Amino acid sequence: MLFEEDIKNRIQNINLFEVVYKKGNFVLGGKEYPFGYTSYLAIQKECRFMDENLFKALLGLYDDLLHDFTKENLDYYHKGIVYVLNSLKDNPMFTLLGIGNVKGKIARLFTEKKKNYYLAIHDFQEHGIDLATEEKANYADEVMHSLNDLLSAMAIGKIIYNSVLELKQYAALVFQITHRIVERDARSKSQLADAFGAFLSDEYMQFIFHTASHPFKTRATVMPVIENVDGENYIFRKVYYNNLKDFLMTDLFEGYIHGHYLWQCDICDRYFFMTTAHKQLYCSTKNPKYNVPCSYVAKHPEVVKRKMERQKKTDSPYYLLWRKRNDLIRKNKSLGKYDEAVSAKAKEYIDDRFDEALTDFDYAETQFEKDMEIENIYQMAKEMLDV
C-alpha cells in the first residue's frame, strides 16, 4: 500500500496546531479563552451527538485509495474531505480550531496539478523512475517535490476521523465527570478534587474510559515564548499538539486546577461554564421561558412560582470588573486626566458592555475582559464623541 508507514508516521508526529498558555487563559488562532473552555464546547449537542457514519465513510474512501490509487478514487477522497469539512463548519469545537483556515490548505493540496503529481509518484513506486533523458529526469525531480504534500493529503482523512472520535470520547468523559461534580455539589477546589477522585475510582468509569491508564496520558512539544503584556515582558509556554485529544485533556485539567468547570443551572438545567464556582449558581443565558437570563430569574423569584436561592449581583465576576473600571473612571475624572464628556461616554460604554456580558455568555467569556481594558474604554469613548 502506498507509503502506508510514512502516512502513519505523519499522522502521529505532525503538529496540527499551537496553543499559548497564559495566566488562566489559553490563546488559539489569535483569540483568548479561559482554561477549561473546551469542556463547555464539548457538552454541546453538535459535539456530543455527531454522526459517526459520515466520518466512517471518509475513512472508507481513505482505505480505498490506499489499496487502489487511481484518479477516480483520489477525486472521491478529495470530495469526501471537502464534504466532511463543510459538515463541521457549525461545530463549535472545530470552529475554535479554525476549520476555515484548513479549507484553504486542503484546496492547495488537491489542485489538479497536485493530483497528477500524486498519480505520477504512485506510478514511480509501482514501476520505478525513468531517468533516461534530461526531460524525464527533470520531470521526476519536479514530481518528487510533491511527495511531502502527498503524505499530508493522505493523512488528512485519517486525522479528521481520529479527531472526531477523540472529540466524542472527550464529550462523553466531560458529561460523566460533570454529572458527578454537580451531584456532589462540588463548589470549591477541594470538593472538585474529591468529585474527580470519585470519578476515577468508579469501576464502571474505569471500564468505559480506561481511566487507570488513558485517556489521561498526553504528549506535546513545549516551547517558551516571551510576550509583552501592559508594557512588561512575561514568559509563557507555547505548546504544539499533534492530536486533538492531548489538547482537550490538557485544557480540562488546567480548567479544574484553576476552578473553571461546568455546572448545571438549577433553573433551565442547561450546562454552563463558570470561573467562580463558589459564587456562580445560575447561568447567564437568556431563558426562553421567561425571556431573561436565569441569573436574573434567580435575583427576582417573583418571576417564577417557586422561591429559590438568590444570587447577588455583586457575586458576578463581570460586575467586579465593571466596578473596578467604574471606580477608575471616576478617579481619572477627579484627577483631571479626562474631561466630563469623555468620562461620561466611558461610563456609558462600560455599562453597555456589562449588560451584554450578563446576557451573552460567549461574549462574556471571550471578549468582555478585552473590551474592558482601560485603554480600550477611553479609545471607544473618544470615538463615540468623534474626538
Side-chain angles (χ1 to χ4, degrees):
M1 288 182 284
L2 178 66
F3 304 115
E4 186 174 17
E5 289 302 317
D6 296 300
I7 295 170
K8 187 182 297 184
N9 182 66
R10 177 62 57 89
I11 293 171
Q12 292 174 345
N13 295 293
I14 190 173
N15 288 325
L16 294 179
F17 52 90
E18 61 187 54
V19 181
V20 174
Y21 290 92
K22 298 184 177 181
K23 184 179 180 182
N25 298 284
F26 67 85
V27 181
L28 180 59
K31 295 183 179 180
E32 201 163 318
Y33 305 92
F35 286 154
Y37 186 65
T38 61
S39 64
Y40 172 73
L41 299 182
I43 207 74
Q44 308 305 314
K45 62 180 182 180
E46 294 89 348
C47 296
R48 288 185 63 201
F49 306 113
M50 300 175 71
D51 183 4
E52 289 186 30
N53 292 325
L54 179 64
F55 308 100
K56 288 180 180 178
L58 177 60
L59 187 62
L61 295 175
Y62 165 83
D63 290 333
D64 290 344
L65 190 57
L66 277 182
H67 289 86
D68 188 14
F69 201 85
T70 64
K71 178 66 164 62
E72 183 180 35
N73 283 342
L74 184 58
D75 286 339
Y76 281 143
Y77 177 60
H78 176 206
K79 290 177 181 177
I81 290 175
V82 172
Y83 185 81
V84 165
L85 289 179
N86 286 333
S87 75
L88 294 173
K89 63 182 176 62
D90 296 323
N91 184 291
M93 188 68 74
F94 285 94
T95 299
L96 175 80
L97 297 172
I99 195 171
N101 298 330
V102 175
K103 290 182 179 179
K105 296 176 182 178
I106 301 298
R108 290 191 291 272
L109 286 173
F110 285 97
T111 63
E112 287 302 311
K113 184 177 182 179
K114 287 287 186 184
K115 290 179 183 179
N116 289 330
Y117 281 167
Y118 301 160
L119 292 167
I121 292 173
H122 178 259
D123 187 62
F124 289 164
Q125 186 201 36
E126 292 289 310
H127 305 104
I129 304 177
D130 186 355
L131 304 175
T133 66
E134 181 179 358
E135 182 180 1
K136 289 182 178 180
N138 289 338
Y139 176 70
D141 182 61
E142 183 180 346
V143 167
M144 293 309 295
H145 275 100
S146 293
L147 175 59
N148 188 58
D149 287 340
L150 169 59
L151 296 177
S152 296
M154 292 294 291
I156 288 168
K158 197 67 179 293
I159 289 172
I160 293 174
Y161 177 74
N162 291 341
S163 297
V164 168
L165 292 185
E166 289 164 355
L167 176 54
K168 289 201 69 175
Q169 184 82 348
Y170 179 66
L173 180 76
V174 167
F175 177 79
Q176 292 295 339
I177 295 177
T178 301
H179 174 71
R180 278 149 184 77
I181 290 172
V182 174
E183 188 178 54
R184 296 170 69 98
D185 197 32
R187 308 209 57 92
S188 69
K189 290 184 179 180
S190 176
Q191 293 170 342
L192 172 63
D194 291 339
F196 185 64
F199 168 80
L200 293 179
S201 62
D202 187 299
E203 293 184 359
Y204 179 69
M205 293 299 108
Q206 289 178 351
F207 174 75
I208 296 296
F209 297 108
H210 309 286
T211 55
S213 56
H214 61 83
F216 305 113
K217 289 182 179 179
T218 60
R219 64 171 186 166
T221 301
V222 183
M223 297 290 290
V225 58
I226 311 298
E227 288 196 13
N228 189 281
V229 180
D230 297 330
E232 295 185 10
N233 289 329
Y234 292 87
I235 302 174
F236 299 122
R237 68 184 189 278
K238 179 182 288 186
V239 182
Y240 298 89
Y241 292 99
N242 55 32
N243 63 62
L244 182 58
K245 176 185 75 70
D246 289 347
F247 164 59
L248 296 177
M249 287 302 165
T250 300
D251 185 50
L252 182 68
F253 294 141
E254 289 285 359
Y256 286 165
I257 290 169
H258 288 79
H260 302 175
Y261 54 98
L262 296 178
W263 196 258
Q264 191 171 23
C265 180
D266 189 46
I267 297 175
C268 67
D269 291 329
R270 286 177 294 190
Y271 292 96
F272 67 97
F273 184 70
M274 60 185 182
T275 56
T276 53
H278 63 292
K279 293 181 178 179
Q280 287 177 268
L281 299 171
Y282 309 100
C283 73
S284 296
T285 307
K286 183 178 289 188
N287 189 307
K289 184 176 181 180
Y290 306 110
N291 204 35
V292 292
C294 289
S295 53
Y296 178 90
V297 176
K299 289 184 292 184
H300 299 80
E302 67 276 7
V303 174
V304 293
K305 293 180 180 178
R306 64 187 180 91
K307 190 175 179 66
M308 58 192 67
E309 186 176 357
R310 295 170 65 101
Q311 176 172 286
K312 298 177 182 178
K313 176 183 177 182
T314 53
D315 283 341
S316 165
Y318 315 127
Y319 172 78
L320 298 178
L321 180 55
W322 172 88
R323 189 177 67 185
K324 287 175 62 177
R325 295 296 181 262
N326 185 61
D327 291 345
L328 186 55
I329 290 170
R330 293 172 59 187
K331 180 179 179 181
N332 287 340
K333 178 185 175 183
S334 65
L335 292 175
K337 291 185 177 182
Y338 296 96
D339 60 29
E340 185 172 343
V342 172
S343 299
K345 284 297 179 183
K347 174 64 164 57
E348 179 182 336
Y349 175 77
I350 65 171
D351 288 348
D352 289 342
R353 299 287 69 76
F354 176 59
D355 288 341
E356 185 174 355
L358 290 179
T359 58
D360 187 336
F361 169 80
D362 289 333
Y363 169 76
E365 290 297 323
T366 61
Q367 188 62 34
F368 179 62
E369 288 189 15
K370 290 183 179 180
D371 287 349
M372 293 291 280
E373 292 176 357
I374 195 66
E375 295 83 2
N376 180 67
I377 292 171
Y378 282 116
Q379 179 182 339
M380 295 303 298
K382 291 176 181 179
E383 290 181 9
M384 292 164 70
L385 289 169
D386 198 22
V387 175

